[in-house]
Amino acid sequence: MDKYYIGVDIGGTSIKMGLFSHIGELLEKWEIPTNKEDEGSHILTDIAASIEDKRVEKDGNIIGIGIGVPGPVTDDGTVLKCVNINWPVFNVKKKLSDITGIGNIGVGNDASIAALGEVWKGGGRGFDSIVLVTLGTGVGGGIIIGGKMLTGVRGGAGEIGHITVNPHETATCGCGRKGCLEQYSSATGIVRMAKEGMREDSCLSKLDEITAKDVLDGVKAGDRYCDEVFDKFASYLGGALATIAQVVDPEAFVIGGGVSKAGDMLLERIEKYYRESVMPALSDKEFALAQLGNDAGIYGAVRMVL
């Protein structure tokens, strides 16, 4: 009878799941809805039921389950509330083990397990210590040091989007504070900056709605205003990464999320401001693009238990 591992990445609307072989090969992936009713109490039972269906279909044994959750997680598998899925404080590892009867269960923060996945099979291969930076609606981060996730005492390590980068900011971040990195270096932040200083000579002025992709396309087309917005985005991010390097000293920064589709242009600009901001002894870090996309979470989840 074949032996399998399951990787699970819980999101606010859907739960990504992957079936892996005993050597870490992704065999199949699927999704189920995230039922957030009743304080999210159905989520783990839904996951367990889906895993059992897959086990029966494959006529095999599930010998490990890794799971990523959108919130802080302590080393023993306790979540310290997950607002996006309505979870209170409880031990996910014990609960899922009780439901499934499987003892080999790993639980981690979703950004941290994505970083672990990128080290294992993605843009971080060849490195033991990286910082994964995800540039999407917000700015997320996952830190791997010596091949292990850096979680912190209360599971909050890697929340880089809320590093204060501009103490003079007057607009409020979604976290309630002002001047966070997320206000400048997320897709939302790029659009916000573009709208605030809009110039009539920019290609953006002709658009009814502006997206981060529009700004990045404008940079590639030589639009000066788009380039100014992009430069501001990169300067804040490069400076923040320099600060992070001076705390955790990784081998590399791996950049993912929707904004990372800008590719080498993005890396070059971020790296420029990083090197201007960091102490000379730490200026030789590698910069790479994430490669696993939305699958990074299920890869990293399985890596915890494989």
Coordinates of all heavy atoms in Angstrom, one line a residue, residues 60-156:
G60 N -4.5 4.1 -0.1 CA -3.1 4.3 0.5 C -3.2 4.7 1.9 O -4.3 4.9 2.5
N61 N -2.0 4.9 2.5 CA -2.0 5.4 3.9 C -1.5 6.8 3.9 O -0.5 7.2 3.1 CB -1.0 4.6 4.7 CG -1.6 3.2 5.1 OD1 -2.8 3.1 5.2 ND2 -0.7 2.2 5.2
I62 N -2.1 7.7 4.7 CA -1.6 9.1 4.9 C -0.8 9.0 6.1 O -1.2 8.7 7.2 CB -2.8 10.0 5.1 CG1 -3.8 9.9 3.9 CG2 -2.3 11.5 5.2 CD1 -3.2 10.3 2.6
I63 N 0.5 9.3 6.0 CA 1.4 9.2 7.1 C 1.9 10.6 7.6 O 2.7 10.6 8.6 CB 2.6 8.3 6.8 CG1 3.4 8.8 5.6 CG2 2.1 6.9 6.5 CD1 4.6 8.0 5.2
G64 N 1.5 11.7 7.0 CA 1.8 13.0 7.5 C 1.0 14.1 6.9 O 0.6 14.0 5.7
I65 N 0.6 15.1 7.7 CA -0.2 16.2 7.3 C 0.5 17.5 7.7 O 0.7 17.7 8.9 CB -1.7 16.2 7.8 CG1 -2.4 14.9 7.4 CG2 -2.4 17.4 7.3 CD1 -3.7 14.7 8.1
G66 N 0.8 18.3 6.8 CA 1.3 19.7 7.1 C 0.2 20.7 6.8 O -0.5 20.6 5.8
I67 N 0.1 21.7 7.6 CA -1.0 22.7 7.4 C -0.5 24.1 7.7 O 0.2 24.4 8.7 CB -2.2 22.3 8.3 CG1 -3.3 23.3 8.1 CG2 -1.8 22.2 9.8 CD1 -4.6 22.7 8.7
G68 N -0.8 25.0 6.8 CA -0.5 26.4 7.0 C -1.7 27.2 7.2 O -2.7 27.0 6.6
V69 N -1.6 28.1 8.2 CA -2.8 28.9 8.6 C -2.5 30.4 8.5 O -1.3 30.8 8.7 CB -3.2 28.6 10.0 CG1 -3.6 27.1 10.1 CG2 -2.2 28.9 11.0
P70 N -3.5 31.2 8.2 CA -3.2 32.7 8.0 C -3.2 33.5 9.3 O -4.1 34.3 9.6 CB -4.4 33.1 7.1 CG -5.5 32.2 7.5 CD -4.8 30.8 7.8
G71 N -2.2 33.2 10.1 CA -2.1 33.9 11.4 C -0.9 33.4 12.2 O -0.3 32.4 11.8
P72 N -0.6 34.0 13.3 CA 0.5 33.5 14.2 C 0.3 32.1 14.8 O -0.8 31.8 15.2 CB 0.6 34.6 15.2 CG -0.7 35.2 15.3 CD -1.3 35.1 13.9
V73 N 1.3 31.3 14.7 CA 1.3 29.9 15.2 C 2.5 29.7 16.1 O 3.6 30.0 15.7 CB 1.3 28.9 14.1 CG1 1.2 27.5 14.6 CG2 0.2 29.2 13.1
T74 N 2.3 29.2 17.3 CA 3.4 28.8 18.2 C 4.0 27.5 17.8 O 3.4 26.7 17.0 CB 3.0 28.8 19.6 OG1 2.0 27.8 19.8 CG2 2.4 30.2 20.1
D75 N 5.2 27.2 18.3 CA 5.9 25.9 18.0 C 5.1 24.7 18.3 O 5.3 23.6 17.6 CB 7.3 25.9 18.7 CG 8.3 26.9 18.1 OD1 8.1 27.3 16.9 OD2 9.2 27.2 18.8
D76 N 4.2 24.7 19.2 CA 3.4 23.5 19.6 C 2.2 23.4 18.7 O 1.4 22.4 19.0 CB 3.1 23.5 21.1 CG 2.1 24.5 21.5 OD1 1.8 25.4 20.6 OD2 1.6 24.4 22.6
G77 N 2.0 24.3 17.7 CA 0.8 24.1 16.9 C -0.4 24.9 17.3 O -1.5 24.7 16.8
T78 N -0.3 25.8 18.3 CA -1.4 26.6 18.8 C -1.5 27.9 17.9 O -0.5 28.6 17.7 CB -1.2 27.0 20.2 OG1 -1.1 25.8 21.0 CG2 -2.3 27.9 20.7
V79 N -2.7 28.2 17.4 CA -2.9 29.4 16.7 C -3.4 30.5 17.7 O -4.2 30.2 18.6 CB -4.0 29.3 15.6 CG1 -3.6 28.3 14.5 CG2 -5.4 28.9 16.2
L80 N -2.9 31.7 17.6 CA -3.2 32.8 18.5 C -4.2 33.7 17.8 O -4.0 34.9 17.6 CB -1.9 33.5 18.9 CG -0.8 32.7 19.4 CD1 0.4 33.5 19.8 CD2 -1.3 31.9 20.7
K81 N -5.3 33.1 17.5 CA -6.4 33.8 16.7 C -6.0 33.9 15.3 O -4.9 34.4 14.9 CB -6.8 35.1 17.3 CG -7.5 35.0 18.7 CD -8.1 36.3 19.1 CE -8.8 36.2 20.5 NZ -9.4 37.5 20.9
C82 N -7.0 33.6 14.4 CA -6.8 33.8 12.9 C -8.1 34.6 12.5 O -9.1 34.0 12.2 CB -6.7 32.5 12.2 SG -5.2 31.6 12.5
V83 N -8.0 35.9 12.4 CA -9.1 36.7 12.1 C -9.8 36.4 10.8 O -11.0 36.4 10.7 CB -8.7 38.2 12.2 CG1 -9.9 39.1 11.8 CG2 -8.2 38.6 13.6
N84 N -9.0 36.1 9.8 CA -9.5 35.9 8.4 C -10.4 34.6 8.3 O -11.2 34.5 7.4 CB -8.3 35.7 7.4 CG -7.6 37.1 7.2 OD1 -8.1 38.1 7.6 ND2 -6.5 37.0 6.6
I85 N -10.2 33.7 9.3 CA -11.0 32.5 9.2 C -11.8 32.3 10.5 O -12.3 31.2 10.7 CB -10.1 31.2 8.9 CG1 -9.0 31.1 9.9 CG2 -9.6 31.3 7.5 CD1 -8.2 29.8 9.7
N86 N -11.8 33.3 11.3 CA -12.7 33.3 12.5 C -12.2 32.3 13.6 O -13.0 31.9 14.5 CB -14.1 33.1 12.2 CG -14.7 34.2 11.4 OD1 -14.3 35.3 11.4 ND2 -15.7 33.8 10.5
W87 N -11.0 31.9 13.6 CA -10.5 31.0 14.6 C -10.1 31.6 15.9 O -9.4 32.7 15.9 CB -9.3 30.2 14.1 CG -9.6 28.9 13.3 CD1 -10.8 28.4 13.1 CD2 -8.7 28.0 12.7 NE1 -10.7 27.3 12.4 CE2 -9.4 27.0 12.1 CE3 -7.3 28.0 12.6 CZ2 -8.8 26.0 11.4 CZ3 -6.7 27.0 11.9 CH2 -7.4 26.0 11.3
P88 N -10.5 31.1 17.0 CA -10.1 31.5 18.3 C -8.7 30.9 18.6 O -8.1 30.3 17.8 CB -11.1 31.0 19.3 CG -11.5 29.7 18.6 CD -11.5 30.0 17.1
V89 N -8.2 31.1 19.9 CA -7.0 30.4 20.3 C -7.2 29.0 20.5 O -8.1 28.6 21.4 CB -6.4 31.1 21.5 CG1 -5.1 30.4 22.0 CG2 -6.1 32.6 21.3
F90 N -6.5 28.1 19.8 CA -6.6 26.6 20.2 C -5.4 25.9 19.5 O -4.8 26.4 18.6 CB -8.0 26.0 19.7 CG -8.1 25.8 18.2 CD1 -8.0 24.6 17.7 CD2 -8.4 26.9 17.4 CE1 -8.2 24.4 16.3 CE2 -8.6 26.7 16.0 CZ -8.5 25.5 15.5
N91 N -5.2 24.7 19.9 CA -4.1 23.9 19.4 C -4.6 23.1 18.1 O -5.3 22.1 18.2 CB -3.6 22.9 20.4 CG -2.3 22.3 20.0 OD1 -2.2 21.6 19.0 ND2 -1.2 22.5 20.8
V92 N -4.2 23.6 17.0 CA -4.6 23.0 15.7 C -4.0 21.6 15.5 O -4.7 20.7 15.1 CB -4.2 23.9 14.5 CG1 -4.5 23.2 13.2 CG2 -4.9 25.2 14.6
K93 N -2.8 21.4 15.9 CA -2.1 20.2 15.8 C -2.8 19.0 16.5 O -3.1 18.0 16.0 CB -0.7 20.3 16.3 CG 0.2 19.0 16.1 CD 1.6 19.3 16.5 CE 2.4 18.0 16.4 NZ 3.9 18.2 16.7
K94 N -3.2 19.3 17.8 CA -3.9 18.3 18.6 C -5.3 18.0 18.1 O -5.7 16.9 18.0 CB -3.9 18.8 20.1 CG -4.6 17.7 21.0 CD -4.6 18.2 22.4 CE -5.2 17.1 23.3 NZ -6.5 16.6 22.9
K95 N -6.0 19.1 17.7 CA -7.3 18.9 17.2 C -7.4 18.1 15.9 O -8.2 17.2 15.8 CB -7.9 20.3 16.9 CG -9.4 20.3 16.4 CD -10.3 19.8 17.5 CE -11.8 20.0 17.0 NZ -12.7 19.5 18.1
L96 N -6.5 18.4 15.0 CA -6.5 17.6 13.7 C -6.0 16.2 13.9 O -6.5 15.3 13.3 CB -5.6 18.3 12.7 CG -5.6 17.8 11.2 CD1 -7.0 17.8 10.7 CD2 -4.7 18.5 10.3
S97 N -5.1 16.0 14.8 CA -4.6 14.7 15.2 C -5.8 13.8 15.8 O -5.9 12.7 15.4 CB -3.4 14.7 16.1 OG -3.0 13.4 16.4
D98 N -6.5 14.5 16.6 CA -7.7 13.8 17.3 C -8.7 13.4 16.2 O -9.3 12.3 16.3 CB -8.4 14.7 18.3 CG -7.5 14.9 19.6 OD1 -6.6 14.1 19.8 OD2 -7.8 15.8 20.3
I99 N -8.9 14.3 15.2 CA -9.9 14.0 14.2 C -9.5 12.9 13.2 O -10.3 12.0 12.8 CB -10.3 15.3 13.4 CG1 -10.9 16.3 14.3 CG2 -11.2 15.0 12.2 CD1 -11.0 17.7 13.6
T100 N -8.2 13.0 12.8 CA -7.7 12.0 11.8 C -7.1 10.8 12.3 O -6.9 9.8 11.6 CB -6.7 12.8 10.9 OG1 -5.6 13.2 11.7 CG2 -7.3 14.0 10.2
G101 N -6.6 10.8 13.6 CA -5.9 9.7 14.1 C -4.4 9.6 13.7 O -3.7 8.7 13.9
I102 N -4.0 10.7 13.0 CA -2.6 10.8 12.5 C -1.8 11.6 13.5 O -2.1 12.7 13.8 CB -2.6 11.4 11.1 CG1 -3.3 10.5 10.1 CG2 -1.1 11.6 10.6 CD1 -3.6 11.1 8.7
G103 N -0.6 11.1 13.9 CA 0.2 11.8 14.8 C 1.2 12.7 14.2 O 1.6 13.7 14.8
N104 N 1.6 12.4 13.0 CA 2.7 13.2 12.3 C 2.0 14.4 11.6 O 1.7 14.4 10.4 CB 3.4 12.4 11.3 CG 4.5 13.2 10.6 OD1 5.0 14.2 11.1 ND2 4.9 12.7 9.4
I105 N 1.8 15.5 12.4 CA 1.1 16.7 11.9 C 2.0 17.9 12.2 O 2.5 18.1 13.4 CB -0.3 16.9 12.5 CG1 -1.2 15.8 12.0 CG2 -0.9 18.2 12.2 CD1 -2.6 15.8 12.5
G106 N 2.2 18.8 11.2 CA 2.9 20.0 11.4 C 2.0 21.2 11.1 O 1.2 21.1 10.2
V107 N 2.2 22.3 11.9 CA 1.3 23.5 11.7 C 2.3 24.7 11.7 O 3.1 24.8 12.5 CB 0.3 23.6 12.8 CG1 -0.6 24.8 12.6 CG2 -0.5 22.4 13.0
G108 N 2.0 25.6 10.7 CA 2.8 26.8 10.7 C 2.1 28.0 10.1 O 1.0 27.8 9.4
N109 N 2.6 29.1 10.2 CA 2.1 30.3 9.6 C 2.2 30.2 8.1 O 3.2 29.7 7.6 CB 2.8 31.6 10.1 CG 2.5 32.8 9.3 OD1 3.2 33.1 8.4 ND2 1.4 33.5 9.6
D110 N 1.2 30.7 7.3 CA 1.1 30.5 5.9 C 2.3 31.1 5.2 O 2.9 30.5 4.2 CB -0.2 30.9 5.3 CG -0.5 32.4 5.6 OD1 0.3 33.1 6.4 OD2 -1.6 32.9 5.2
A111 N 2.8 32.3 5.6 CA 3.9 32.9 5.0 C 5.2 32.1 5.3 O 6.1 32.0 4.4 CB 4.1 34.3 5.4
S112 N 5.3 31.6 6.5 CA 6.5 30.9 6.9 C 6.6 29.6 6.1 O 7.7 29.2 5.7 CB 6.5 30.6 8.4 OG 6.6 31.8 9.1
I113 N 5.5 28.9 5.9 CA 5.6 27.6 5.2 C 5.8 27.9 3.7 O 6.4 27.0 3.0 CB 4.3 26.7 5.4 CG1 3.1 27.4 4.9 CG2 4.2 26.4 6.9 CD1 1.9 26.4 4.7
A114 N 5.3 29.0 3.2 CA 5.6 29.3 1.8 C 7.1 29.5 1.6 O 7.7 29.1 0.6 CB 4.8 30.6 1.4
A115 N 7.7 30.2 2.6 CA 9.2 30.3 2.6 C 9.9 29.0 2.6 O 10.9 28.8 1.9 CB 9.7 31.2 3.7
L116 N 9.4 28.1 3.4 CA 10.0 26.8 3.5 C 9.9 26.0 2.2 O 10.8 25.3 1.7 CB 9.3 26.0 4.6 CG 9.9 24.7 5.1 CD1 11.4 24.9 5.6 CD2 9.1 24.0 6.1
G117 N 8.7 26.2 1.6 CA 8.5 25.6 0.3 C 9.4 26.1 -0.8 O 10.0 25.3 -1.6
E118 N 9.7 27.4 -0.8 CA 10.6 28.0 -1.8 C 12.0 27.5 -1.6 O 12.8 27.4 -2.5 CB 10.5 29.5 -1.7 CG 9.2 30.1 -2.3 CD 9.1 30.0 -3.8 OE1 10.1 29.7 -4.5 OE2 7.9 30.1 -4.3
V119 N 12.4 27.3 -0.3 CA 13.8 26.8 0.0 C 13.9 25.4 -0.5 O 14.9 25.0 -1.1 CB 14.1 26.9 1.5 CG1 15.3 26.1 1.8 CG2 14.3 28.4 1.9
W120 N 12.8 24.6 -0.4 CA 12.9 23.2 -0.7 C 12.8 23.0 -2.2 O 13.6 22.2 -2.8 CB 11.7 22.5 0.0 CG 11.6 21.0 -0.2 CD1 12.7 20.2 -0.3 CD2 10.4 20.2 -0.2 NE1 12.2 18.9 -0.5 CE2 10.9 18.9 -0.4 CE3 9.1 20.5 -0.1 CZ2 9.9 17.8 -0.5 CZ3 8.2 19.5 -0.2 CH2 8.6 18.2 -0.4
K121 N 11.8 23.6 -2.9 CA 11.6 23.3 -4.3 C 11.5 24.5 -5.2 O 11.3 24.4 -6.4 CB 10.3 22.5 -4.4 CG 10.2 21.2 -3.7 CD 11.0 20.1 -4.5 CE 10.7 18.8 -3.9 NZ 11.4 17.7 -4.7
G122 N 11.7 25.7 -4.7 CA 11.5 26.9 -5.5 C 12.7 27.8 -5.6 O 13.8 27.4 -5.8
G123 N 12.4 29.1 -5.6 CA 13.4 30.2 -5.8 C 14.5 30.2 -4.8 O 15.6 30.9 -5.0
G124 N 14.3 29.6 -3.6 CA 15.3 29.6 -2.6 C 16.2 28.3 -2.5 O 17.0 28.1 -1.6
R125 N 16.1 27.5 -3.5 CA 16.9 26.2 -3.6 C 18.4 26.6 -3.6 O 18.8 27.5 -4.3 CB 16.5 25.4 -4.8 CG 15.3 24.5 -4.6 CD 15.0 23.8 -5.9 NE 14.7 24.7 -7.0 CZ 14.3 24.3 -8.2 NH1 14.2 23.0 -8.5 NH2 14.0 25.1 -9.1
G126 N 19.1 25.8 -2.8 CA 20.5 26.1 -2.7 C 20.9 26.9 -1.5 O 22.1 27.1 -1.2
F127 N 19.9 27.5 -0.8 CA 20.1 28.3 0.4 C 19.5 27.6 1.6 O 18.5 27.0 1.5 CB 19.5 29.7 0.2 CG 20.0 30.4 -1.0 CD1 19.2 30.7 -2.1 CD2 21.3 30.9 -1.0 CE1 19.6 31.4 -3.2 CE2 21.8 31.6 -2.1 CZ 21.0 31.9 -3.2
D128 N 20.2 27.8 2.7 CA 19.6 27.3 4.0 C 18.9 28.4 4.8 O 18.1 28.2 5.7 CB 20.8 26.8 4.9 CG 21.3 25.5 4.4 OD1 20.5 24.7 3.9 OD2 22.5 25.2 4.6
S129 N 19.2 29.7 4.4 CA 18.6 30.8 5.1 C 18.2 31.9 4.2 O 19.0 32.5 3.4 CB 19.7 31.4 6.1 OG 20.1 30.5 7.0
I130 N 16.8 32.1 4.1 CA 16.3 33.2 3.2 C 15.2 34.0 4.0 O 14.7 33.6 5.0 CB 15.6 32.5 2.0 CG1 14.3 31.8 2.3 CG2 16.6 31.6 1.2 CD1 13.4 31.6 1.2
V131 N 14.9 35.1 3.4 CA 13.7 35.8 3.7 C 12.8 35.9 2.5 O 13.3 36.4 1.4 CB 14.0 37.3 4.2 CG1 12.7 38.1 4.4 CG2 14.8 37.3 5.5
L132 N 11.6 35.3 2.6 CA 10.6 35.4 1.5 C 9.8 36.6 1.7 O 9.3 36.9 2.8 CB 9.7 34.1 1.5 CG 8.6 34.2 0.5 CD1 9.1 34.1 -0.9 CD2 7.6 33.0 0.7
V133 N 9.7 37.4 0.7 CA 8.9 38.7 0.7 C 7.8 38.5 -0.3 O 8.0 38.3 -1.5 CB 9.7 39.9 0.4 CG1 8.9 41.2 0.5 CG2 11.0 40.0 1.3
T134 N 6.5 38.6 0.1 CA 5.4 38.4 -0.8 C 4.7 39.8 -1.0 O 4.3 40.4 0.0 CB 4.4 37.4 -0.3 OG1 3.9 37.8 1.1 CG2 5.0 36.0 -0.2
L135 N 4.7 40.2 -2.2 CA 4.2 41.6 -2.6 C 2.9 41.4 -3.3 O 2.8 41.2 -4.5 CB 5.2 42.3 -3.5 CG 6.6 42.4 -2.9 CD1 7.5 43.0 -4.0 CD2 6.6 43.2 -1.6
G136 N 1.8 41.4 -2.5 CA 0.5 41.3 -3.1 C -0.4 42.5 -2.6 O 0.0 43.6 -2.6
T137 N -1.6 42.2 -2.2 CA -2.5 43.2 -1.6 C -1.8 43.8 -0.4 O -1.9 45.0 -0.2 CB -3.8 42.5 -1.2 OG1 -4.4 41.9 -2.3 CG2 -4.8 43.6 -0.7
G138 N -1.1 43.0 0.3 CA -0.3 43.5 1.4 C 1.2 43.1 1.2 O 1.5 42.7 0.1
V139 N 2.0 43.2 2.2 CA 3.4 42.7 2.2 C 3.5 41.7 3.3 O 3.4 42.0 4.5 CB 4.4 43.9 2.4 CG1 5.8 43.3 2.5 CG2 4.3 44.9 1.3
G140 N 3.8 40.5 2.9 CA 4.0 39.4 3.8 C 5.5 38.9 3.9 O 6.3 39.3 3.0
G141 N 5.8 38.1 4.8 CA 7.2 37.6 4.9 C 7.3 36.3 5.7 O 6.5 36.0 6.5
G142 N 8.3 35.5 5.3 CA 8.6 34.3 5.9 C 10.1 34.2 6.1 O 10.8 34.5 5.1
I143 N 10.6 33.7 7.2 CA 12.0 33.7 7.4 C 12.5 32.3 7.7 O 11.9 31.6 8.6 CB 12.4 34.6 8.6 CG1 11.9 36.0 8.4 CG2 13.9 34.6 8.9 CD1 12.1 37.0 9.6
I144 N 13.4 31.8 7.0 CA 14.0 30.5 7.2 C 15.5 30.7 7.6 O 16.3 31.3 6.8 CB 14.0 29.6 5.9 CG1 12.5 29.5 5.4 CG2 14.5 28.2 6.2 CD1 11.6 28.9 6.3
I145 N 15.9 30.2 8.7 CA 17.3 30.3 9.2 C 17.8 28.9 9.5 O 17.2 28.1 10.2 CB 17.4 31.1 10.4 CG1 16.9 32.6 10.2 CG2 18.8 31.2 10.9 CD1 17.7 33.4 9.1
G146 N 18.9 28.5 8.8 CA 19.4 27.1 9.0 C 18.5 26.0 8.6 O 18.5 25.0 9.2
G147 N 17.6 26.3 7.6 CA 16.6 25.3 7.1 C 15.4 25.2 8.0 O 14.5 24.4 7.7
K148 N 15.2 26.0 9.0 CA 14.1 26.0 9.9 C 13.3 27.3 9.9 O 13.9 28.4 9.8 CB 14.5 25.6 11.3 CG 15.1 24.2 11.4 CD 15.5 23.9 12.8 CE 16.1 22.5 12.9 NZ 16.5 22.2 14.3
M149 N 12.0 27.2 10.1 CA 11.2 28.4 10.1 C 11.5 29.2 11.4 O 11.5 28.6 12.5 CB 9.7 28.1 10.1 CG 9.3 27.5 8.8 SD 7.5 27.2 8.7 CE 7.3 26.0 10.0
L150 N 11.7 30.5 11.2 CA 11.8 31.4 12.4 C 10.4 31.9 12.7 O 9.8 32.6 12.0 CB 12.7 32.5 12.1 CG 13.0 33.6 13.2 CD1 13.7 32.9 14.3 CD2 13.8 34.7 12.7
T151 N 9.8 31.4 13.9 CA 8.5 31.8 14.2 C 8.3 32.8 15.2 O 7.3 33.6 15.2 CB 7.7 30.5 14.7 OG1 8.4 30.0 15.8 CG2 7.7 29.4 13.6
G152 N 9.3 32.9 16.2 CA 9.1 33.9 17.3 C 8.4 33.3 18.4 O 7.7 32.2 18.3
V153 N 8.4 34.0 19.5 CA 7.8 33.5 20.8 C 6.3 33.3 20.6 O 5.7 32.4 21.1 CB 8.1 34.4 21.9 CG1 7.3 34.0 23.2 CG2 9.6 34.4 22.2
R154 N 5.6 34.3 19.9 CA 4.2 34.2 19.7 C 3.8 34.0 18.3 O 2.7 34.4 17.9 CB 3.5 35.5 20.3 CG 3.7 35.6 21.8 CD 2.9 36.8 22.4 NE 1.5 36.6 22.2 CZ 0.7 35.9 23.0 NH1 1.2 35.2 24.0 NH2 -0.6 35.8 22.8
G155 N 4.7 33.5 17.5 CA 4.4 33.2 16.1 C 4.3 34.4 15.2 O 3.8 34.3 14.1
G156 N 4.8 35.5 15.6 CA 4.7 36.7 14.8 C 5.9 37.1 14.0 O 5.9 38.1 13.3

